[in-house]
Amino acid sequence: MSVNRDLGLGLNRLSEHEHGRLVAYINLKLAGLGLPVYSQDGTSFLDLASDMLANYRERGRLLADYLPPADARIQGFLDAYLADLPQEERPRLPSRTLVLDRYGMARELSLPPASHEYKSPTLSSYRVRNGVLHNPANDRRTTQGVFHVAEGGLPVPLDKKAVPKLAFARLLKAAFNPPEDLLTLPFTAGETQNAGVFLSLLLRPVVRPEVPGYSEELSMETRFFAPASLAANLDFVESIFGNCGDPYVSQNDAALDPLHWTGHSGCIILATHLVTLSKRELGLPQRSEASERQIRDGMCWTNPDEKYNDGKPFKICARDRRGVIVTIIADNYFGYSKKEIKTHISYSSNLLGQTEEEHSGGALVIPSFNLGTRFVPDTNLNSKGQTLEHTLRILRDRIESRPEGYAVDRTFPQVVYLPEDAVISLDDQTASWKSNGVAQSIRVLPDEIYVHPTGYQVR
C-alpha cells in the first residue's frame, strides 16, 4: 500500500461509545436534509424524532436561499468581482450542505461505519488500529503549470497563469455542479440508496499569534466546500487547522468578534472533475484572437476539444484588496488543501500588516563560524583597506567615538565598533589594539557584538 507524503493519517480512534454517538449525530443531520442514512445500527431514534425532522426540513426549504454570515461575505465579493459579467454567468455558493460542525465528523464520513476499507477513483481509505489512513490517487511532486490566478483583481505574477474572469466564473459554476459519483457519501456506501451531498467546513486559521502584553491573536475565516466523496480532505485539514463549528450559529460569526478577526475571508472548493472541461466551453479565445500572454499561458485554443490546462490538475484563485480570496482546487492531493489555507493566511497577513507572511520564503539565515579562541584580522578576515575612520565618517552621529580608539552605537549600545587592527582573545577576555602608538584594550562581554570596519561581526 503506497502512502501519500502528506500522510492523511487520522489518529485518536474513537471509543465504541463515542463512535456510536457520532454515527447517531450524523444520521440525525442527514435525515434533517432529507438524505439516506446509515441504517445498520437501527433508526428508532430517527423514527421518534420524525415530526421534529419534518419541521426542520420545512424550515430549511423556506430558508433555501439563506447563506450564513461567512458565506454571505464571500458571495458578496463574488457578486462584486463578477459584476461586469452577465447575471447567468455569476455562480452562487451552495446553501444546502452537510455542515461538519463537530471535529471528527469528516473522518467518520470518509468510511462506512461497519467497513474497514473504502475505495473510489480518487481515493482509498483504510480503518487502521489507531485511526484512519487516507491515500489519495494523486501524489504530486511538481508545481509546474498548477498555479492559476483570475484577472481583474490584484496583479497576476508572471510566474502564474493569468485566467480571464469569464473562465474563472465558469470554472466556479462547474465546481458547484459535480457529477453524481463525486457527491456520493462514503458513510452510506453500504446502503441500498447512497446519500449525495456537498460537505462544508468552517475554519479559523491563525494569522497573527498572540504576544502576551502586546497584541491579541488574530485569525481569518475560511470556508471549505467539497463533494462528499472527498470527505477525507476535510478530515486532513481540520486535523491541522481545527474545526470552528456551525457557520449558522452567531457565536461562530467572525464579524461579531472584531478584536480577534483580521477582517478577511477565504473560500476553498474541491472540484477534481474540472480537468475534463475544454478551453472553448470555458470561454477562452481562439489562438488567432488571443493576446501574447494568453498564448504564453495556454489560455487559448486551436483545437475545439483542447482540455483546460491540458487536462492536468490545477488550482485557481480570485482575490483583490477587499479581503476575500476564493480558490478552486481541481485535485484531491492533500498537500494542496493544506497549502492553500496557508496561502490564504499569507494573503491575510499581507493585507493586515504588522505580522509575518506564512509563505515568506523561509528564515533569515546569517552564517556563523567558530573562530577558536582568538580573532586576528589579518588571519580571519580579508580586509580591503576599511578603517575605523571610514566607519566614523559613514555613520556620523549615529555612533559615539571613545578616546581609547573605538566607538559605540548610540541606538544599540551593545554594538561596539573596533579599529581595523583589533585582536580579540577569549583566553584573556579582551579586545586589544594600538591607538597613536599606545596599547589599548577593553573587556569582551558575552552580550556585546563587536564590529570590524568591514562590517564583519564577532560575538
Side-chain angles (χ1 to χ4, degrees), residues 337-392:
S337 297
K338 171 189 70 177
K339 292 170 186 174
E340 192 56 32
I341 295 175
K342 296 175 77 174
T343 299
H344 285 203
I345 294 172
S346 295
Y347 167 78
S348 177
S349 176
N350 283 326
L351 292 179
L352 178 68
Q354 301 297 311
T355 184
E356 290 197 20
E357 182 186 1
E358 169 62 27
H359 283 180
S360 57
L364 173 64
V365 178
I366 300 173
S368 61
F369 309 91
N370 185 344
L371 302 175
T373 61
R374 189 175 175 83
F375 172 80
V376 181
D378 292 341
T379 303
N380 297 99
L381 188 62
N382 182 18
S383 177
K384 295 183 179 180
Q386 297 95 332
T387 65
L388 181 61
E389 184 181 347
H390 291 143
T391 305
L392 292 168

Side-chain angles (χ1 to χ4, degrees), residues 59-119:
R59 292 182 184 216
R61 186 186 67 80
L62 294 172
L63 296 172
D65 294 329
Y66 176 78
L67 294 175
D71 293 11
R73 286 187 277 272
I74 296 165
Q75 187 63 54
F77 161 76
L78 289 172
D79 291 342
Y81 190 81
L82 303 174
D84 52 343
L85 298 180
Q87 182 68 40
E88 62 273 13
E89 298 286 3
R90 300 178 209 166
R92 180 174 172 80
L93 298 180
S95 57
R96 183 179 181 272
T97 66
L98 176 57
V99 178
L100 309 186
D101 53 1
R102 291 191 182 184
Y103 183 89
M105 278 184 67
R107 186 169 304 165
E108 193 61 47
L109 290 170
S110 64
L111 283 160
S115 176
H116 295 289
E117 183 177 319
Y118 179 78
K119 292 187 178 181

Side-chain angles (χ1 to χ4, degrees), residues 20 24 35 37 117 123 187 220 226 257 261 269 315 320 350 435:
L35 296 171
V37 300
E117 183 177 319
L123 181 76
F187 182 81
M220 66 179 300
D257 184 22
W261 181 40
I269 307 101
K315 60 179 182 175
D320 63 14
N350 283 326
S435 177

